[in-house]
mmCIF file of all heavy atoms in Angstrom:
data_model
loop_
_atom_site.group_PDB
_atom_site.id
_atom_site.type_symbol
_atom_site.label_atom_id
_atom_site.label_comp_id
_atom_site.label_asym_id
_atom_site.label_seq_id
_atom_site.Cartn_x
_atom_site.Cartn_y
_atom_site.Cartn_z
ATOM 1 N N ILE A 210 -103.663 -20.484 -117.181
ATOM 2 C CA ILE A 210 -102.617 -21.518 -117.132
ATOM 3 C C ILE A 210 -101.258 -20.815 -116.776
ATOM 4 O O ILE A 210 -100.497 -21.320 -115.883
ATOM 5 C CB ILE A 210 -102.450 -22.169 -118.511
ATOM 6 C CG1 ILE A 210 -103.529 -23.125 -118.754
ATOM 7 C CG2 ILE A 210 -101.148 -22.933 -118.562
ATOM 8 C CD1 ILE A 210 -103.668 -23.693 -120.243
ATOM 9 N N PHE A 211 -100.911 -19.844 -117.299
ATOM 10 C CA PHE A 211 -99.702 -18.976 -117.023
ATOM 11 C C PHE A 211 -99.712 -18.644 -115.525
ATOM 12 O O PHE A 211 -98.792 -18.859 -114.730
ATOM 13 C CB PHE A 211 -99.650 -17.681 -117.786
ATOM 14 C CG PHE A 211 -98.833 -17.875 -119.105
ATOM 15 C CD1 PHE A 211 -99.323 -18.519 -120.174
ATOM 16 C CD2 PHE A 211 -97.482 -17.293 -119.057
ATOM 17 C CE1 PHE A 211 -98.458 -18.487 -121.348
ATOM 18 C CE2 PHE A 211 -96.590 -17.355 -120.170
ATOM 19 C CZ PHE A 211 -97.168 -18.057 -121.322
ATOM 20 N N GLU A 212 -100.923 -17.986 -115.084
ATOM 21 C CA GLU A 212 -100.895 -17.440 -113.604
ATOM 22 C C GLU A 212 -100.801 -18.697 -112.688
ATOM 23 O O GLU A 212 -100.046 -18.557 -111.682
ATOM 24 C CB GLU A 212 -102.221 -16.757 -113.405
ATOM 25 C CG GLU A 212 -102.289 -16.095 -112.033
ATOM 26 C CD GLU A 212 -103.646 -15.307 -111.880
ATOM 27 O OE1 GLU A 212 -104.428 -15.373 -112.696
ATOM 28 O OE2 GLU A 212 -103.615 -14.532 -111.006
ATOM 29 N N SER A 213 -101.579 -19.712 -112.984
ATOM 30 C CA SER A 213 -101.428 -20.895 -112.019
ATOM 31 C C SER A 213 -100.135 -21.487 -111.956
ATOM 32 O O SER A 213 -99.697 -21.909 -110.986
ATOM 33 C CB SER A 213 -102.563 -21.880 -112.393
ATOM 34 O OG SER A 213 -102.473 -23.054 -111.625
ATOM 35 N N ALA A 214 -99.584 -21.724 -113.122
ATOM 36 C CA ALA A 214 -98.228 -22.386 -113.221
ATOM 37 C C ALA A 214 -97.070 -21.551 -112.523
ATOM 38 O O ALA A 214 -96.236 -22.045 -111.857
ATOM 39 C CB ALA A 214 -97.821 -22.544 -114.718
ATOM 40 N N LEU A 215 -97.142 -20.161 -112.807
ATOM 41 C CA LEU A 215 -96.156 -19.363 -112.092
ATOM 42 C C LEU A 215 -96.326 -19.338 -110.534
ATOM 43 O O LEU A 215 -95.339 -19.172 -109.770
ATOM 44 C CB LEU A 215 -96.264 -17.920 -112.593
ATOM 45 C CG LEU A 215 -95.962 -17.597 -114.185
ATOM 46 C CD1 LEU A 215 -95.972 -16.247 -114.453
ATOM 47 C CD2 LEU A 215 -94.651 -18.322 -114.488
ATOM 48 N N LYS A 216 -97.617 -19.536 -110.132
ATOM 49 C CA LYS A 216 -97.802 -19.445 -108.631
ATOM 50 C C LYS A 216 -97.515 -20.840 -108.026
ATOM 51 O O LYS A 216 -96.926 -20.835 -106.847
ATOM 52 C CB LYS A 216 -99.258 -19.163 -108.381
ATOM 53 C CG LYS A 216 -99.599 -17.693 -108.649
ATOM 54 C CD LYS A 216 -101.097 -17.554 -108.541
ATOM 55 C CE LYS A 216 -101.686 -17.568 -107.212
ATOM 56 N NZ LYS A 216 -103.210 -17.364 -107.233
ATOM 57 N N LYS A 217 -97.702 -21.970 -108.752
ATOM 58 C CA LYS A 217 -97.372 -23.289 -108.256
ATOM 59 C C LYS A 217 -96.084 -23.732 -108.218
ATOM 60 O O LYS A 217 -95.636 -24.527 -107.363
ATOM 61 C CB LYS A 217 -98.407 -24.152 -108.952
ATOM 62 C CG LYS A 217 -98.477 -25.650 -108.278
ATOM 63 C CD LYS A 217 -99.572 -26.471 -108.983
ATOM 64 C CE LYS A 217 -99.699 -27.928 -108.262
ATOM 65 N NZ LYS A 217 -100.776 -28.715 -108.912
ATOM 66 N N TYR A 218 -95.352 -23.538 -109.282
ATOM 67 C CA TYR A 218 -94.071 -24.070 -109.614
ATOM 68 C C TYR A 218 -92.942 -22.996 -109.592
ATOM 69 O O TYR A 218 -93.281 -21.915 -110.070
ATOM 70 C CB TYR A 218 -94.083 -24.877 -110.810
ATOM 71 C CG TYR A 218 -94.895 -26.059 -110.793
ATOM 72 C CD1 TYR A 218 -96.111 -26.143 -111.507
ATOM 73 C CD2 TYR A 218 -94.636 -27.164 -109.924
ATOM 74 C CE1 TYR A 218 -96.975 -27.233 -111.412
ATOM 75 C CE2 TYR A 218 -95.458 -28.278 -109.910
ATOM 76 C CZ TYR A 218 -96.548 -28.318 -110.624
ATOM 77 O OH TYR A 218 -97.500 -29.377 -110.496
ATOM 78 N N GLY A 219 -91.679 -23.398 -109.407
ATOM 79 C CA GLY A 219 -90.559 -22.483 -109.574
ATOM 80 C C GLY A 219 -90.307 -22.298 -110.999
ATOM 81 O O GLY A 219 -89.985 -23.242 -111.630
ATOM 82 N N VAL A 220 -90.271 -21.081 -111.524
ATOM 83 C CA VAL A 220 -90.019 -20.784 -112.906
ATOM 84 C C VAL A 220 -88.836 -19.980 -113.052
ATOM 85 O O VAL A 220 -88.710 -18.869 -112.336
ATOM 86 C CB VAL A 220 -91.328 -20.042 -113.552
ATOM 87 C CG1 VAL A 220 -90.979 -19.481 -115.026
ATOM 88 C CG2 VAL A 220 -92.519 -21.009 -113.678
ATOM 89 N N ASN A 221 -88.004 -20.260 -113.961
ATOM 90 C CA ASN A 221 -86.868 -19.543 -114.166
ATOM 91 C C ASN A 221 -87.146 -18.481 -115.319
ATOM 92 O O ASN A 221 -87.317 -18.846 -116.449
ATOM 93 C CB ASN A 221 -85.679 -20.358 -114.680
ATOM 94 C CG ASN A 221 -84.330 -19.684 -114.906
ATOM 95 O OD1 ASN A 221 -84.327 -18.437 -115.325
ATOM 96 N ND2 ASN A 221 -83.260 -20.263 -114.549
ATOM 97 N N TYR A 222 -87.270 -17.151 -114.950
ATOM 98 C CA TYR A 222 -87.797 -16.200 -115.812
ATOM 99 C C TYR A 222 -86.673 -15.866 -116.850
ATOM 100 O O TYR A 222 -87.143 -15.577 -117.966
ATOM 101 C CB TYR A 222 -88.276 -14.886 -115.115
ATOM 102 C CG TYR A 222 -89.643 -15.154 -114.375
ATOM 103 C CD1 TYR A 222 -89.680 -15.551 -113.101
ATOM 104 C CD2 TYR A 222 -90.748 -14.702 -114.924
ATOM 105 C CE1 TYR A 222 -90.781 -15.830 -112.432
ATOM 106 C CE2 TYR A 222 -91.996 -15.052 -114.242
ATOM 107 C CZ TYR A 222 -91.871 -15.437 -113.001
ATOM 108 O OH TYR A 222 -93.088 -15.689 -112.380
ATOM 109 N N THR A 223 -85.519 -15.983 -116.489
ATOM 110 C CA THR A 223 -84.416 -15.656 -117.511
ATOM 111 C C THR A 223 -84.493 -16.719 -118.658
ATOM 112 O O THR A 223 -84.462 -16.472 -119.777
ATOM 113 C CB THR A 223 -83.063 -15.805 -116.923
ATOM 114 O OG1 THR A 223 -83.018 -14.752 -115.877
ATOM 115 C CG2 THR A 223 -81.897 -15.651 -117.868
ATOM 116 N N ARG A 224 -84.676 -17.927 -118.289
ATOM 117 C CA ARG A 224 -84.754 -19.045 -119.270
ATOM 118 C C ARG A 224 -86.093 -18.952 -120.132
ATOM 119 O O ARG A 224 -86.088 -19.083 -121.323
ATOM 120 C CB ARG A 224 -84.854 -20.452 -118.560
ATOM 121 C CG ARG A 224 -84.973 -21.690 -119.539
ATOM 122 C CD ARG A 224 -84.581 -22.929 -118.918
ATOM 123 N NE ARG A 224 -85.288 -23.283 -117.765
ATOM 124 C CZ ARG A 224 -85.267 -24.377 -117.070
ATOM 125 N NH1 ARG A 224 -84.431 -25.320 -117.577
ATOM 126 N NH2 ARG A 224 -85.983 -24.630 -116.033
#
Side-chain angles (χ1 to χ4, degrees):
I210 288 170
F211 264 78
E212 185 174 14
S213 179
L215 298 184
K216 289 168 67 176
K217 186 172 183 180
Y218 295 109
V220 171
N221 186 320
Y222 289 88
T223 297
R224 179 161 61 173

